[in-house]
Amino acid sequence: MVDAPDLSGRIVAHRNDRMGGRLISIVNAIRIARDYDLPFAVAWVSHGRTAAELRRPTDIFAEDFVARHFVPGDLPSAVWAGLEDLDATRLQSAEALRAAAADGMGFLSQRSVGAIVLPWEDASAVGARLADCFDGIAFCDTIRRVAAGIAQCLAGACLTAYHIRRGDIVSNPVTSQRLWPNKYIPREFYEVHLRRQLAEPDAACLVFSDTSEEVARLTALDRRVVSFDDLVAGEDLLPGQRDFLELFAMSRCRAIFG
């Protein structure tokens, strides 16, 4: 049994899912910690059904960042239930938040989509600040180097991204037993939509999928359709690094369809 860390007075990012949700919870935690001058922590889950690429955070984040901010995420659910969920907080002012932190209350950042907006905050102002807080995450050398190369490669491009989810819907022994309404899009829909995007003379498309056949089919349609592998040719990336860098490449596009 791992001893529970002291989470009092801290904004704690905690998610038990994939890369995107974890990153969003971290960025929200950093934003709130900065705005209210509080420490933040990242509770990184690595047990059970956690995907292999997420089990070792130093594959993605700088070692000193992990040492300073990460705490065990594989703790009893009662630990997380004991924190104040910032998406449903009873606190009604910045002063009350700071006072509760001074009294030892810990706070949970677990939103996986969008911004946490506290009851007294302005949503548009929070949204404008959130992206700037991404610089509070320190990534490992490989992530920083390859991300810089992707940014340089895509600079000025009129890109549309396609994220085609297939593997867990049709073949994963656990998740394929669920219903996936509105998530299995027929491949012909993607093809028609992609051709419409390419009607613009300067347009290009970047295709991502957990099923390689989908990528191969779409990249064969037009030379302006490229894959993530085209962007990182020659790089020997760990699975977790690839997972993050795919999200980074998508973020450089003007729109993402999936």
Side-chain angles (χ1 to χ4, degrees):
M1 177 70 70
V2 177
D3 292 335
D6 180 9
L7 303 178
S8 59
R10 304 170 84 176
I11 312 296
V12 184
H14 178 252
R15 292 293 308 178
N16 188 12
D17 51 4
R18 296 300 298 264
M19 184 75 70
R22 293 182 185 221
L23 288 170
I24 290 170
S25 73
I26 295 171
V27 173
N28 273 300
I30 291 172
R31 195 283 297 178
I32 295 168
R34 285 182 176 180
D35 283 356
Y36 299 99
D37 195 24
L38 297 170
F40 76 91
V42 179
W44 194 260
V45 177
S46 61
H47 73 304
R49 292 179 179 170
T50 302
E53 60 267 29
L54 292 171
R55 290 185 180 273
R56 190 169 56 198
T58 51
D59 287 352
I60 303 154
F61 305 98
E63 290 187 6
D64 62 337
F65 181 77
V66 171
R68 283 185 288 117
H69 295 292
F70 279 50
V71 298
D74 308 331
L75 298 170
S77 58
V79 172
W80 315 119
L83 301 177
E84 178 78 358
D85 184 352
L86 291 172
D87 256 323
T89 183
R90 300 158 293 173
L91 303 172
Q92 294 297 314
S93 69
E95 293 74 19
L97 175 70
R98 293 191 182 97
D103 285 342
M105 179 179 286
F107 307 93
L108 183 62
S109 169
Q110 63 176 348
R111 175 175 281 264
S112 63
V113 177
I116 295 176
V117 180
L118 301 175
W120 58 89
E121 294 181 323
D122 177 75
S124 59
V126 169
R129 277 188 42 70
L130 193 62
D132 291 339
C133 295
F134 202 79
D135 66 3
I137 303 176
F139 294 100
C140 70
D141 291 344
T142 297
I143 292 287
R144 289 190 291 106
R145 176 179 56 78
V146 179
I150 290 172
Q152 183 177 12
C153 180
L154 300 183
C158 184
L159 274 169
T160 299
Y162 287 85
H163 181 268
I164 304 172
R165 187 172 184 172
R166 288 287 187 262
D168 57 355
I169 297 176
V170 300
S171 60
N172 183 284
V174 175
T175 56
S176 64
Q177 301 306 309
R178 297 172 48 195
L179 290 176
W180 291 88
N182 305 321
K183 285 200 173 182
Y184 189 94
I185 308 301
R187 59 170 49 116
E188 292 80 8
F189 288 20
Y190 285 107
E191 183 172 338
V192 170
H193 195 281
L194 184 145
R195 289 189 185 279
R196 289 177 179 172
Q197 297 296 310
L198 293 176
E200 298 182 34
D202 297 331
C205 297
L206 192 54
V207 180
F208 304 84
S209 180
D210 55 4
T211 304
S212 59
E213 291 81 1
E214 299 290 346
V215 175
R217 188 179 63 82
L218 292 177
T219 54
L221 294 177
D222 190 291
R223 62 177 179 80
R224 292 176 293 162
V225 183
V226 297
S227 71
F228 179 76
D229 287 330
D230 295 326
L231 292 181
V232 297
E235 294 287 353
D236 184 19
L237 299 174
L238 297 170
Q241 294 169 349
R242 181 186 177 96
D243 198 11
F244 171 80
L245 289 164
E246 285 190 346
L247 292 177
F248 176 79
M250 284 186 217
S251 78
R252 315 303 292 183
C253 299
R254 59 178 180 171
I256 304 169
F257 295 101

